[in-house]
């Protein structure tokens, strides 16, 4: 949330008064600040909290004399050395001390006109709003998946590599390949009479990187830079004299006020620990254009690089498909479709459209397809559980329209699934449209009556016979209705035959198959981590782990349960053999072994 102007004005006036009273001391020289101190935004921690030392230190050992440390004691700044910045100052002095102008008479490296032509223009919303000018040398997306190296960095004739070499040596990033640990590097020129208010940095990159500041052009007696702790009262003044290389914990509160009569220039650099794997480093060409969102950065030339949708959650009904879809869409790089269950490949297939291209164009209407073409690092998906069941018509259509998709299959103990299915379609809650889709065929019937009716139908199709298999299954699903959920109470739980049809037509590495029971056994986060990995999203901690589209209902009688268990036993045994599972009880085995698919 943006800080109100009145509050910024108050902080600006307060900072001016503190210039003459607050000690202006260089940060202590304590070396590199461990990323363990950036596990959580300090601004969200209470100032009196005492934290176990090993939770914040890169060590498993505990000191019995002092096993805890206060939040107040977490290191927030460290001087890493002093360097000569003569060459860097010469490079950036021209044009640093003038306001942003869209059409300057003589563009310099600080002007957007020059960056757009000779380098690459990067937007930084908050800094741009404050009138802060910038020269960007490296930049990355929020998840540090891709690091973009700018022409002014990799083209040594620009002079920047030589000018910052002393800084990199001081940080241990010098020498051949040392700069590959850097993910962001830019120079920022802050106007006079400006205050950046108290805040802590946010984004997935923050707790994976070390934040470095190097004052290049400044008057440290007229600039108030403060950092520390989780409260304003805990912040201490940082001496920002020219040439000081210092690290700051940007998960802590920090703020800066420029009361000098000139623009202040800092080099700002973020680097990762050794061993951190950056997915891709890209050297951008002069004048390349980027498409930026808050969490993503894409090259304009990559328009349409990722096809839509990227994944299908194909089943099974009442096995956690809604929950999985909602968990995935908590990821900042995941974008919801216009509707969760499109039913495009079964109920809404357009027989009047004769070409694959026409079908794909119609399907795209269910997603923000045009917007996603500009941002191929983002993705979207379709979650329609009935696709798993209607394999006879859905599979050929999927192969025609989007053969690239990753498939997520959520399964559940079929006995419990059947009861949940019955309770859903006979429920009186929901909108009229939802009730219509559920169907009315089972209203007025008990769960046991529906089971008996279903068994009669399956017997007619030969599915109750000892040697029933794929042929009988194909005959069964060909007669299933569309547009209603009141059918296949038992058939939807015969997962073995449903999966066999899909696994014949798609490579096995397209599948992630999990059981709903795993959500409880190993936890939502671990289960969703598998889904993120499968569809190509970087790690992310979901914020809401609550179950979705669930309802409370009475259980079933023991006789009914035993009858259903007996019915499903042979199909379950075949399924477990196919997937390498031990059973329905959630023990985490299915997630690990299911990866073989």
């Amino acid at each position: 949330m943006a800080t109100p102007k009145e509050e910024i004005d108050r902080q600006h006036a307060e900072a001016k008064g503190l210039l003459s009273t607050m000690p202006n001391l260089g940060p202590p020289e304590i070396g590199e600040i461990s990323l363990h101190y950036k596990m959580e935004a300090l601004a969200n921690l209470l100032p009196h909290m005492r934290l176990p030392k090993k939770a914040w230190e890169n060590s498993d050992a505990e000191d019995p004399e002092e096993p805890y440390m206060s939040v107040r004691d977490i290191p927030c700044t460290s001087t890493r050395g002093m360097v000569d910045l003569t060459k860097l100052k010469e490079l950036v002095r021209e044009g640093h001390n003038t306001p942003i102008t869209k059409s300057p008479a003589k563009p310099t490296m600080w002007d957007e006109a020059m960056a757009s032509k000779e380098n690459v223009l990067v937007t930084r919303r908050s800094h741009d709003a404050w009138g802060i000018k910038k020269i960007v040398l490296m930049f990355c997306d929020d998840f540090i998946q891709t690091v973009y190296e700018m022409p002014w960095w990799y083209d040594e004739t620009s002079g920047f590599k030589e000018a910052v070499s002393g800084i990199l040596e001081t940080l241990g990033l010098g020498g051949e390949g040392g700069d590959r640990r850097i993910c962001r590097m830019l120079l920022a020129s802050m106007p006079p009479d400006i205050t950046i208010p108290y805040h802590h940095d946010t984004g997935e990159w923050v707790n994976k990187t070390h934040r470095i500041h190097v004052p290049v052009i400044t008057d440290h007696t007229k600039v108030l830079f403060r950092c520390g702790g989780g409260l304003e009262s805990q912040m201490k003044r940082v001496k920002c004299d020219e040439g000081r290389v210092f690290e700051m914990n940007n998960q802590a509160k920090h703020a800066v006020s420029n009361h000098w009569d000139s623009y202040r220039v800092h080099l700002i650099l973020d680097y990762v620990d050794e061993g951190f794997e950056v997915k891709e480093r890209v050297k951008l060409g002069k004048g390349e254009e980027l498409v930026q969102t808050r969490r993503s950065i894409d090259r304009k030339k990559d328009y349409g690089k990722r096809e839509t949708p990227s994944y299908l959650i194909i089943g099974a009904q009442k096995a956690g498909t809604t929950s999985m879809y909602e968990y995935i869409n908590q990821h900042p790089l995941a974008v919801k479709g216009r509707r969760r269950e499109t039913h495009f490949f079964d109920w809404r297939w357009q027989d009047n459209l004769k070409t694959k291209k026409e079908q794909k164009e119609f399907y795209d209407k269910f997603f923000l397809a045009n917007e996603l073409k500009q941002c191929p690092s983002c993705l979207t998906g379709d979650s329609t559980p009935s696709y798993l069941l209607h394999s006879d018509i859905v599979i050929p259509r999927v192969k025609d329209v989007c053969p690239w998709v990753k498939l997520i299959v959520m399964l559940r103990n079929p006995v419990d699934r059947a009861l949940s299915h019955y309770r859903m379609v006979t429920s009186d809650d929901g909108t009229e449209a939802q009730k219509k889709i559920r169907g009315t065929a089972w209203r007025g019937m008990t769960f046991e009556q529906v089971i008996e009716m279903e068994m009669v139908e399956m017997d007619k199709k030969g599915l109750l016979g000892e040697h029933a298999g794929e042929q009988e299954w194909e005959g069964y699903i060909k007669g299933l209705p569309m547009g209603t959920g009141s059918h296949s109470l038992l058939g939807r739980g015969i997962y073995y035959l449903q999966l066999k049809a899909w696994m014949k037509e798609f490579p096995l590495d397209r599948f992630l198959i999990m059981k709903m029971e795993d959500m409880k056994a190993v936890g939502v986060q671990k289960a969703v981590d598998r889904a993120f990995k499968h569809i190509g999203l970087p790690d992310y901690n979901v914020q809401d782990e609550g179950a979705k589209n669930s309802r409370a209902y009475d259980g079933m009688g023991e006789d009914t349960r035993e009858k259903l268990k007996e019915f499903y036993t042979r199909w379950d045994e075949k399924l477990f053999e196919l997937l390498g599972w031990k059973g329905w009880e959630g023990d985490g085995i299915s997630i690990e072994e299911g990866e073989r698919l």
Side-chain angles (χ1 to χ4, degrees), residues 82 220 236 295 563 570:
M82 300 292 293
H220 67 90
K236 297 178 181 179
R295 301 303 185 196
K563 182 177 182 178
R570 64 167 168 161

Side-chain angles (χ1 to χ4, degrees), residues 266-277:
H266 274 208
L267 181 136
I268 303 171
L269 180 153
D270 296 283
Y271 71 91
V272 296
D273 279 344
E274 286 190 54
F276 182 92
E277 186 175 344

Side-chain angles (χ1 to χ4, degrees), residues 77-223:
T77 56
S78 173
T79 294
R80 301 287 295 275
M82 300 292 293
V83 295
D84 180 1
L85 296 178
T86 302
K87 291 182 179 179
L88 184 57
K89 290 171 72 171
E90 290 174 355
L91 265 178
V92 304
R93 188 180 299 280
E94 184 180 7
H96 87 278
N97 199 25
T98 57
I100 293 176
T101 305
K102 291 298 181 183
S103 301
K106 182 186 176 185
T108 69
M109 285 183 168
W110 291 102
D111 295 302
E112 292 184 357
M114 179 73 82
S116 298
K117 182 179 179 181
E118 300 296 331
N119 199 44
V120 175
L121 184 63
V122 174
T123 60
R124 302 189 76 207
R125 290 191 303 172
S126 56
H127 281 200
D128 293 345
W130 287 317
I132 296 174
K133 304 172 72 170
K134 58 190 176 296
I135 297 173
V136 181
L137 303 177
M138 288 191 206
F139 212 69
C140 68
D141 62 274
D142 201 64
F143 288 83
I144 325 181
Q145 293 286 285
T146 304
V147 174
Y148 296 98
E149 297 185 6
M150 309 301 171
W152 283 343
W153 174 250
Y154 67 77
D155 183 351
E156 298 195 10
T157 62
S158 71
F160 278 107
K161 277 200 173 183
E162 182 182 0
V164 304
S165 60
I167 297 171
L168 302 193
E169 290 289 344
T170 298
L171 296 170
L173 303 174
E176 185 69 27
D179 63 353
R180 295 186 66 81
R181 290 172 57 193
I182 301 171
C183 53
R184 295 187 179 188
M185 179 163 51
L186 58 90
L187 290 115
S189 186
M190 180 182 180
D193 205 33
I194 288 290
T195 285
I196 298 177
Y198 312 131
H199 69 285
H200 67 275
D201 292 349
T202 60
E204 296 301 307
W205 59 276
V206 176
N207 61 11
K208 299 177 179 66
T209 58
H210 299 270
R211 163 55 60 88
I212 303 297
H213 273 257
V214 185
V216 180
I217 301 174
T218 191
D219 180 345
H220 67 90
T221 67
K222 303 290 180 59
V223 177

Side-chain angles (χ1 to χ4, degrees), residues 516-534:
M516 182 176 167
E517 287 79 2
D518 290 324
M519 295 283 194
K520 297 178 181 178
V522 303
V524 166
Q525 185 64 58
K526 187 173 181 181
V528 178
D529 284 344
R530 298 293 179 187
F532 287 156
K533 180 179 179 182
H534 181 62

Side-chain angles (χ1 to χ4, degrees), residues 244-295:
R244 182 180 297 276
V245 181
F246 69 91
E247 182 176 355
M248 61 167 288
N249 185 340
N250 52 342
Q251 290 255 21
K253 283 277 192 183
H254 55 281
V256 59
S257 295
N258 184 7
H259 289 279
W260 190 26
D261 60 3
S262 178
Y263 278 63
R264 179 222 71 170
V265 176
H266 274 208
L267 181 136
I268 303 171
L269 180 153
D270 296 283
Y271 71 91
V272 296
D273 279 344
E274 286 190 54
F276 182 92
E277 186 175 344
V278 175
K279 189 174 180 181
E280 185 178 22
R281 298 187 75 92
V282 175
K283 286 182 169 63
L284 297 177
K286 287 184 178 182
E288 265 205 60
E289 294 184 57
L290 298 176
V291 179
Q292 294 180 240
T293 70
R294 180 170 173 78
R295 301 303 185 196

